Amino acid sequence: MTTVLSARNLTVRRGQRTILDDVSITLDGRGLTALIGANGAGKSTLLHCLAGLLKPDAGEVSLDGKPLAVWKDRELAKARAFVPQNPHCDWPISVERLVALGLTPVLPAFGGFSAEMTARVGKVMADCDLTGHRDQPAPTLSGGELSRAMLARALVGDPAVLIVDEPTTGLDPRHALDTMGRLKALGGEGRLIIAAVHDLTLAARHADRLIALSEGRVVAHGPIGEVLKPELVHQVFGVHARITKTQDGPLVDLLTRV
């Protein structure tokens, strides 16, 4: 069954300011969608609405044709996972326990983890380069390590939809590449992934589709190879850009500010 996440006429206001202005998008099938936009364009607000964590002032979000407002919390938590920007953890629990919290929606009412769940936690931690931090208290992780731990927590429940706000923030180049590669691979396996991304080269090389926001409105939405053009970068960010094809994929050079 194809997963479909749809937003219809989303509007979010904060006082006199409109954060999202009549946003309508449909994401269907699988793959990685990159969400781009300048600071304050409304990216985080849109992601929170798509995840069902923020109720819009107007419009609605549906998953597989069913409005998020009528989903039961436990069922929605099983179907989609959300990783916030700049996550933090103040609980003195181990990294392994932090990752295992992602299994909460599927845990049995009584008893501990099954062997399958334990294996799942171990695999996801290995995939996110966290095995060596298994017993480390989560509050002592670096910012980049915690970002990887929170991604692992989101992935451990095997959600059909994964929504990630700035997944490469605080990561060194190796782990930024690893994270974007993993998100692309997850999309290729059949999940619907949407991630806010600042690095346009990473977006161009890993994403299948692109959504561009400007001042709370969608100004582009489609296959990334078709819509990520210098003209769009200029419109969204106010800078000139050059997009070059290389053997490693597209390279987006930001040239001058207008």
Side-chain angles (χ1 to χ4, degrees):
M1 178 179 176
T2 300
T3 299
V4 179
L5 182 65
S6 177
R8 182 172 59 86
N9 305 122
L10 292 185
T11 298
V12 175
R13 301 183 183 91
R14 291 291 179 268
Q16 299 299 312
R17 184 185 174 200
T18 299
I19 309 299
L20 293 180
D21 188 2
D22 197 31
V23 170
S24 295
I25 55 172
T26 297
L27 301 171
D28 55 16
R30 62 185 188 182
L32 170 59
T33 296
L35 174 64
I36 67 168
N39 292 338
K43 300 187 301 297
S44 292
T45 299
L46 176 57
L47 293 183
H48 278 77
C49 288
L50 292 176
L53 300 173
L54 176 65
K55 182 179 179 181
D57 294 292
E60 69 175 14
V61 177
S62 298
L63 178 58
D64 292 337
K66 182 178 176 181
L68 295 190
V70 302
W71 279 73
K72 295 181 179 179
D73 291 344
R74 188 179 181 91
E75 292 303 312
L76 182 59
K78 288 169 60 178
R80 70 93 181 95
F82 177 78
V83 182
Q85 184 180 1
N86 299 320
H88 66 276
C89 178
D90 298 323
W91 305 331
I93 59 175
S94 69
V95 174
E96 181 180 44
R97 279 288 168 182
L98 175 63
V99 173
L101 287 174
L103 292 171
T104 300
V106 296
L107 286 176
F110 301 100
F113 295 150
S114 66
E116 181 181 356
M117 290 178 176
T118 300
R120 176 70 181 168
V121 170
K123 182 181 185 305
V124 172
M125 290 184 66
D127 288 343
C128 294
D129 196 20
L130 292 167
T131 301
H133 300 280
R134 180 183 299 273
D135 299 318
Q136 182 176 341
T140 68
L141 294 173
S142 70
E145 291 165 348
L146 181 58
S147 292
R148 298 193 334 256
M150 296 298 278
L151 178 60
R153 186 182 75 165
L155 293 175
V156 75
D158 199 26
V161 178
L162 176 62
I163 299 171
V164 194
D165 197 355
E166 301 291 352
T168 61
T169 297
L171 299 186
D172 58 49
R174 172 200 160 192
H175 286 109
L177 286 170
D178 286 349
T179 295
M180 291 301 294
R182 182 155 305 284
L183 293 178
K184 181 176 180 63
L186 289 166
E189 292 170 3
R191 292 175 182 80
L192 196 160
I193 316 290
I194 178 169
V197 181
H198 266 306
D199 189 315
L200 298 182
T201 294
L202 285 177
R205 292 184 177 182
H206 293 90
D208 302 292
R209 295 181 295 271
L210 182 77
I211 298 171
L213 282 183
S214 180
E215 298 182 345
R217 294 190 175 190
V218 174
V219 295
H221 179 202
I224 195 160
E226 297 178 10
V227 299
L228 183 58
K229 304 294 183 182
E231 296 79 11
L232 179 66
V233 176
H234 179 258
Q235 178 184 4
V236 172
F237 297 102
V239 297
H240 295 294
R242 179 176 57 234
I243 302 176
T244 307
K245 293 182 179 180
T246 74
Q247 63 180 4
D248 297 316
L251 176 65
V252 183
D253 288 316
L254 303 181
L255 304 175
T256 59
R257 181 178 176 180
V258 176

